[in-house]
């Protein structure tokens, strides 16, 4: 349920409504928007809040229509902005996250970090814990990889994002990085979603390989209902009958999510197409279709990459992408975010 406060209600009114909801045994989640103050009470039904509607300052109490609540635009009409250092994701500028699929060495990571920074990227990506389809594939450098990410941030000033694959790794990963990535394979790992919901580090939640948009929004609801509202949603391609690309990029997810949710939307064209040549057109399309940013794989020598080499952009490829992206982003009124 949503309790909407009157425009002229006071903080004392709000306090009394919050206490009344708590006394009834429910969890009030106040949200102060520019237009209105509302209190979400996601665990209450229509009959549970009897009497609250009569309290001073309450305009109305209405149910939330969809299944997702805290992620919904009905709860929070204005778009959310996730701030990571000086970078605003979901703000006026289009954001680019880039870097290797996996952290492989100091030189590989630092070289890539320097290059993407000089080309205008905003966030450095790199996997330290890799969830691989085969148990015999490279599983990542683990904590040493996290140390290298922290060193790259130290040198370049770029915030860093990396994947966390298990609840008990959340405290460790939070010590080193700025954004936690939940991978596609873990989108419905509810213990992991709860664990990242209990910290304050921003989370990029990737859409599951075979998940609907509604399922992704409900996965985000797990994170937010545990207390972390710094969430971004990432479309990275879904599995279809088409084999020409690794997955099928669901670009229509951008306007659908934007209509239903206030959370920022990031497109991952690399895992969507799996083929280097197709990454740039999909990145440009993402900017044109209203995404808040992209996350792309870049490697100094893709042929030698331990994972996802065929979809990784070369350094010149990334520079070219950034040049053309700047044009498309500006043309649709969402210029690349500043790197100052
Ligand atoms: C990745 O970002 O390298 C990755 C494994 O992505 P996904 O979870 O989307 O497959
Ligand atoms: Mn990858």
């Amino acid at each position: 349920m949503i309790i909407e406060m009157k425009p002229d209600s006071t903080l004392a009114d709000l306090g009394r409504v919050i206490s009344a909801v708590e006394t009834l045994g429910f969890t009030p989640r106040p949200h102060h928007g520019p237009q209105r103050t509302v209190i979400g009470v996601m665990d209450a039904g229509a009959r549970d809040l009897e009497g609250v509607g009569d309290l001073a300052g309450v305009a109305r109490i209405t149910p939330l229509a969809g299944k997702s609540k805290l992620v919904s635009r009905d709860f929070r009409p204005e778009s959310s902005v996730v701030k990571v250092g000086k970078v605003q994701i979901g703000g006026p500028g289009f954001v680019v996250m880039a870097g290797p699929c996996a952290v492989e060495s100091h030189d590989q990571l630092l070289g890539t970090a320097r290059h993407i920074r000089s080309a205008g990227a905003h966030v450095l990506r790199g996997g330290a814990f890799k969830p691989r389809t085969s148990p015999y594939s490279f599983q990542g450098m683990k904590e040493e990889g996290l140390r290298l990410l922290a060193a790259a941030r130290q040198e370049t000033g770029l915030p860093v994002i990396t994947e966390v694959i298990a609840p008990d790794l959340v405290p460790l990963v939070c010590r080193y990085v700025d954004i936690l990535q939940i991978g596609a394979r873990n989108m419905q790992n509810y213990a992991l979603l709860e664990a990242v919901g209990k910290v304050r580090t921003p989370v990029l939640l990737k859409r599951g390989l075979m998940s609907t948009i509604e399922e992704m929004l409900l996965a985000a609801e797990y994170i937010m209902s545990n207390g972390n509202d710094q969430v971004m949603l990432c479309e990275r391609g879904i599995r279809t009958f088409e084999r020409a690309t690794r997955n099928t990029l669901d670009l229509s997810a951008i306007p659908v999510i934007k209509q239903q949710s206030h959370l920022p939307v990031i497109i991952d064209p690399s895992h969507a197409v799996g083929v280097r040549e197709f990454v740039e057109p999909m990145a440009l399309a993402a900017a044109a279709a209203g995404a808040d940013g992209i996350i792309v794989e870049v490697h100094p020598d893709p042929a030698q990459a331990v994972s996802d080499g065929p979809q990784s952009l070369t350094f010149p490829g990334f520079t070219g992408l950034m040049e053309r992206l700047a044009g498309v982003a500006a043309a649709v009124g969402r210029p690349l975010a500043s790197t100052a």
Side-chain angles (χ1 to χ4, degrees):
M1 304 298 290
I2 293 284
I3 305 171
E4 188 177 337
M5 301 301 290
K6 289 181 181 158
D8 60 355
S9 63
T10 63
L11 272 179
D13 293 338
L14 184 70
R16 276 189 290 271
V17 175
I18 288 174
S19 318
V21 170
E22 283 170 346
T23 306
L24 289 167
F26 301 104
T27 309
R29 298 174 191 277
H31 168 63
H32 306 276
Q35 312 292 345
R36 54 177 203 167
T37 293
V38 296
I39 307 165
V41 191
M42 307 316 175
D43 45 357
R47 294 223 192 97
D48 294 329
L49 298 177
E50 237 162 69
V52 176
D54 301 330
L55 294 175
V58 175
R60 66 185 71 85
I61 304 183
T62 46
L64 271 172
K67 287 188 190 164
S68 53
K69 311 287 181 195
L70 296 167
V71 310
S72 155
R73 255 199 210 276
D74 293 340
F75 175 55
R76 189 189 153 104
E78 63 279 6
S79 295
S80 288
V81 178
V82 174
K83 294 199 182 84
V84 182
K86 288 187 211 137
V87 184
Q88 289 191 31
I89 303 156
F94 189 85
V95 170
V96 177
M97 309 184 191
C101 178
V103 178
E104 298 170 12
S105 69
H106 174 271
D107 289 356
Q108 173 243 20
L109 187 66
L110 266 292
T112 309
R114 287 182 201 121
H115 180 79
I116 63 151
R117 190 184 125 96
S118 70
H122 308 92
V123 176
L124 173 68
R125 66 149 287 153
F129 294 88
K130 297 302 301 175
R132 304 303 299 281
T133 303
S134 164
Y136 307 117
S137 300
F138 175 65
Q139 302 286 313
M141 290 182 76
K142 307 193 171 148
E143 190 165 359
E144 181 54 21
L146 297 176
R147 280 194 209 102
L148 293 177
L149 284 164
R153 172 179 55 189
Q154 178 77 19
E155 190 198 300
T156 61
L158 291 171
V160 295
I161 173 169
T162 203
E163 179 165 353
V164 58
I165 57 172
D168 57 348
L169 289 171
V170 172
L172 174 77
V173 176
C174 282
R175 279 208 291 282
Y176 288 98
V177 306
D178 305 283
I179 307 174
L180 303 172
Q181 174 174 321
I182 300 292
R185 288 156 194 79
N186 273 318
M187 191 203 84
Q188 287 180 309
N189 179 339
Y190 298 118
L192 182 58
L193 299 178
E194 283 174 10
V196 299
K198 292 197 165 76
V199 297
R200 289 291 164 272
T201 307
V203 178
L204 179 94
L205 174 67
K206 293 186 119 188
R207 180 174 179 183
L209 280 76
M210 303 217 264
S211 299
T212 64
I213 292 170
E214 183 179 75
E215 287 162 346
M216 172 159 61
L217 293 177
L218 286 168
E221 190 81 20
Y222 265 88
I223 302 172
M224 292 190 74
S225 63
N226 275 280
N228 190 349
D229 61 1
Q230 302 294 290
V231 180
M232 299 159 258
L233 302 172
C234 178
E235 159 62 34
R236 45 76 75 205
I238 48 176
R239 189 164 279 192
T240 69
F241 53 81
E242 181 54 64
R243 306 285 5 120
T245 48
R246 182 175 175 183
N247 292 289
T248 297
L249 182 61
D250 181 9
L251 274 176
S252 55
I254 302 169
V256 173
I257 297 170
K258 287 279 167 196
Q259 184 187 63
Q260 295 183 11
S261 174
H262 52 84
L263 297 176
V265 178
I266 303 295
I267 292 291
D268 175 347
S270 306
H271 293 87
V273 297
V275 181
R276 182 173 311 115
E277 290 71 27
F278 305 153
V279 170
E280 178 174 318
M282 291 299 96
L284 301 182
D292 297 292
I294 53 168
I295 181 164
V296 285
E297 289 184 342
V298 179
H299 196 283
D301 184 3
Q304 301 304 318
V306 297
S307 62
D308 288 348
Q311 69 195 31
S312 298
L313 298 178
T314 61
F315 287 180
F318 182 69
T319 305
L321 164 66
M322 290 301 282
E323 285 164 10
R324 288 176 284 276
L325 193 57
V328 173
V332 295
R334 196 79 181 287
L336 291 183
S338 102
T339 50

